Amino acid sequence: MTQAEAVRSWWADADQATRNRALRLREDDLLPADMQQGLAMAGVTVVPIGRSPVDGEPEGYEIPLLLWQLLEDVRNVF
């Protein structure tokens, strides 16, 4: 499965609330951890950004380019 197919699969399986949240993401936002987990489980590579000084966990995740492209396509349909 390619990364593009994995993003499309994640989108197809996402519930409406998750899709709505994804569509509200802006360029300066980080991908929320729950979306990162879902994308990773679908086979999408997601890059962590920064580390929390408290627990060492990522502060967030970079929004994959292929997800941005899908979101733009969906936004242009409406």
Side-chain angles (χ1 to χ4, degrees), residues 2 7 11 14 18-20 24 26 29 34 37 41 43 50 58 64-65 69 76-78:
T2 68
V7 168
W11 182 258
T18 300
R19 288 180 182 183
N20 290 341
R24 286 192 301 269
R26 298 181 323 240
D29 288 336
D34 64 316
Q37 291 168 349
M41 289 178 60
L65 178 59
Q69 291 170 340
N76 289 331
V77 168
F78 296 108

Side-chain angles (χ1 to χ4, degrees), residues 2-78:
T2 68
Q3 291 288 294
E5 291 168 332
V7 168
R8 286 192 301 270
S9 174
W10 172 81
W11 182 258
D13 292 341
D15 60 31
Q16 193 60 47
T18 300
R19 288 180 182 183
N20 290 341
R21 287 177 49 229
L23 288 167
R24 286 192 301 269
L25 290 170
R26 298 181 323 240
E27 287 186 41
D28 58 344
D29 288 336
L30 295 176
L31 189 67
D34 64 316
M35 283 189 201
Q36 177 275 334
Q37 291 168 349
L39 284 160
M41 289 178 60
V44 179
T45 302
V46 183
V47 177
I49 302 291
R51 292 281 175 196
S52 168
V54 176
D55 60 10
E57 291 295 315
E59 291 183 12
Y61 300 87
E62 183 177 325
I63 300 171
L65 178 59
L66 290 169
L67 177 57
W68 272 124
Q69 291 170 340
L70 179 134
L71 294 172
E72 285 301 311
D73 289 347
V74 170
R75 289 177 184 127
N76 289 331
V77 168
F78 296 108

